[in-house]
Amino acid sequence: MQFERLSKEVESYKGEMVELMKDMVAIPSISPVSGGEGEAKRADMLESFLKKSGFSVRRYDYIDSFKKKRSNLIATIPSKAKQRIWLLSHIDTVSEGDRSLWSHDPFDAYVKDGKIFGRGTSDNGQGVVSSIFALKALKELGVETKYAPAIALVADEEVGSEYGVKALLKEKIFSKGDMFVVPDWGNEKGDAIEVAEKGILWLKFTVVGKQVHASTPQKGINAFRISAELVQRLNRLYKLFGKKDRLFDPSFSTFEPTKHEKNVESVNIIPGKEVFYMDCRVLPDYNLAKVIKFAKNEAARLAKESNAQISVEVYNIEEPAKPTGKNSQLVKLLSSSIENVKGIKPKLVGIGGGTVAKYFREKGMDCAVWATLPDNAHQPNEYAVIDDMVGDSKVFAYLYI
């Protein structure tokens, strides 16, 4: 009976949810690293909304290297419960990219066919909105909760979380025993709970040979050809780190060459320098240092054979955290909530992407990543399904009762 009241209350907010999403999208919240102004103006709007809705709000602002304010909000409602469940979403977004690929202004959200379109609607606007209105329903109905409800709206997730979760962890806002739901990944059915993430390693390879005219290749050292050979040798990583874990999709570690920097201007020039990158997503079974060691050893061997100079740099590294246990208190609570609200039994999965869940898992805190989301983050014409936004809000409300 109590959940029926909650469900109706959340349903009654559908129009308000759409309007809040439109207000968020209208305020670009892009990192200064990507040419934006940061989250401060969006945080201003959300702080005002939360206070008017009766939340207790604390704000944590940090000044970044661009002298821009990076803003985080903590919002709570009264509860006698001692153990806390956090709903944690990020309020920054990536840039719009090529505007010509959008059918509409990416910062002027609009509704069509039950979807709301605009930059950041899926990543991570839906999580922000569904979290806020779940707690609003609990507060308005005066529900006595089993767990203390709390929301964290954080900055800087898209480019490293230095001014977001990492900074907040130093503030000691979060306590031992706190649990965290991060609605920043999901699928269209909403039947998958992410409990594990692969390690992330980006490597940068620089090959320096000798540039000459293409008609006399014997006089030079073709950095392009050597790079191609190195890529082939690095393919051995798949075999050397070949364990499989069915929790993940794909079930194995991946080692893929990706970005390639521009070399020479003309077809008739043997390039003397090549720069390329490799993206590695590695199962938690492995230490990333071993991957780096293999790459450097192969580069050194090839450099000796070819008389080229080859350097290997770690461009980015995120060691995998210990997965959240399948029998953890939070996983059981979230699974039960999804099953009771949506009528589906969720499966537990691991992913190759990275979320802020990693930072809590590193601290030994229970953290699960879940939402009902289409796979369109960072794409043109990004959207969120309005009914999914409402449904997720119901799942979050149910967590606390």
Side-chain angles (χ1 to χ4, degrees):
M1 181 66 71
Q2 185 167 241
F3 175 68
E4 289 179 5
R5 291 174 60 230
L6 267 176
S7 181
K8 289 180 181 178
E9 186 73 12
V10 172
E11 283 280 354
S12 74
Y13 297 147
K14 183 182 288 189
E16 289 183 63
M17 289 183 176
V18 170
E19 290 307 308
L20 182 60
M21 181 77 86
K22 287 182 176 180
D23 289 343
M24 278 200 300
V25 171
I27 306 172
S29 189
I30 301 163
S31 169
V33 172
S34 303
E37 295 294 319
E39 305 83 0
K41 290 182 180 179
R42 181 173 289 191
D44 290 343
M45 183 275 292
L46 288 168
E47 182 178 17
S48 176
F49 180 88
L50 288 164
K51 287 180 175 178
K52 287 179 181 177
S53 299
F55 287 79
S56 175
V57 182
R58 286 179 288 160
R59 181 167 176 151
Y60 294 84
D61 290 324
Y62 306 99
I63 304 301
D64 68 11
S65 59
F66 294 84
K67 308 301 181 185
K68 300 293 184 182
K69 188 187 295 185
R70 315 303 299 277
S71 302
N72 303 265
L73 299 173
I74 300 296
T76 58
I77 59 174
S79 174
K80 296 178 181 178
K82 294 183 179 179
Q83 191 174 16
R84 179 163 285 169
I85 296 178
W86 292 86
L87 303 176
L88 189 146
S89 306
H90 65 88
I91 59 175
D92 61 319
T93 70
V94 295
S95 67
E96 70 274 30
D98 185 349
R99 282 205 175 212
S100 69
L101 298 177
W102 290 78
S103 61
H104 195 82
D105 183 343
F107 300 110
D108 181 17
Y110 68 99
V111 173
K112 182 180 179 181
D113 299 328
K115 303 170 183 175
I116 181 164
F117 292 81
R119 175 53 86 219
T121 49
S122 173
D123 181 23
N124 193 209
Q126 179 172 316
V128 173
V129 173
S130 59
S131 300
I132 289 173
F133 283 92
L135 267 62
K136 181 178 171 70
L138 291 168
K139 184 186 68 67
E140 291 298 321
L141 295 178
V143 175
E144 187 170 334
T145 60
K146 294 179 181 178
Y147 303 93
I151 295 172
L153 305 179
V154 303
D156 198 31
E157 187 274 345
E158 296 290 358
V159 289
S161 294
E162 294 297 330
Y163 304 102
V165 167
K166 289 182 181 179
L168 293 177
L169 281 167
K170 295 175 184 176
E171 301 280 0
K172 302 190 183 302
I173 296 164
F174 311 116
S175 303
K176 186 177 180 180
D178 283 2
M179 297 179 284
F180 301 83
V181 177
V182 178
D184 194 23
W185 177 89
N187 62 15
E188 292 187 6
K189 290 181 66 177
D191 66 347
I193 299 174
E194 186 258 87
V195 295
E197 297 173 6
K198 293 178 180 178
I200 300 174
L201 174 65
W202 294 352
L203 295 175
K204 177 182 179 181
F205 298 86
T206 303
V207 179
V208 179
K210 182 180 178 182
Q211 180 177 308
V212 295
H213 195 284
S215 66
T216 56
Q218 75 281 5
K219 294 181 180 181
I221 300 175
N222 192 325
F224 190 0
R225 186 179 295 279
I226 295 165
S227 294
E229 172 64 22
L230 182 55
V231 167
Q232 290 303 309
R233 294 189 184 193
L234 291 171
N235 203 45
R236 287 181 56 211
L237 286 163
Y238 274 102
K239 185 175 182 179
L240 293 171
F241 298 87
K243 288 184 181 179
K244 293 187 177 181
D245 185 338
R246 287 184 295 177
L247 183 68
F248 293 87
D249 183 18
S251 62
F252 47 87
S253 301
T254 58
F255 308 92
E256 291 297 313
T258 54
K259 181 180 176 180
H260 179 275
E261 293 186 4
K262 186 177 180 180
N263 52 23
V264 294
E265 297 289 343
S266 301
V267 176
N268 61 350
I269 299 175
I270 297 288
K273 183 178 179 180
E274 286 288 337
V275 179
F276 70 93
Y277 300 77
M278 175 169 276
D279 180 301
C280 311
R281 307 290 168 132
V282 185
L283 290 175
D285 306 68
Y286 296 112
N287 188 312
L288 297 181
K290 293 183 178 181
V291 179
I292 298 168
K293 182 178 180 180
F294 174 82
K296 288 186 174 182
N297 286 343
E298 285 301 308
R301 289 192 190 96
L302 184 55
K304 187 174 181 180
E305 294 170 15
S306 63
N307 292 321
Q309 298 175 33
I310 305 177
S311 66
V312 182
E313 300 173 52
V314 175
Y315 195 71
N316 180 45
I317 185 169
E318 294 280 350
E319 291 283 357
K322 185 178 178 181
T324 301
K326 64 180 180 180
N327 293 317
S328 71
Q329 182 184 10
L330 178 63
V331 168
K332 289 180 177 179
L333 284 170
L334 183 56
S335 296
S336 175
S337 186
I338 294 167
E339 193 167 356
N340 280 287
V341 175
K342 297 175 71 72
I344 54 177
K345 190 173 181 64
K347 57 191 176 186
L348 305 185
V349 302
I351 65 170
T355 72
V356 296
K358 162 188 167 60
Y359 306 117
F360 297 104
R361 290 176 181 145
E362 287 177 338
K363 300 288 185 183
M365 296 175 167
D366 274 358
C367 188
V369 182
W370 176 85
T372 310
L373 289 172
D375 184 15
N376 63 23
H378 298 198
Q379 297 179 22
N381 301 311
E382 178 184 353
Y383 66 85
V385 178
I386 295 170
D387 284 345
D388 288 343
M389 185 163 62
V390 175
D392 286 5
S393 191
K394 293 179 183 179
V395 169
F396 296 148
Y398 193 94
L399 269 177
Y400 296 97
I401 63 172

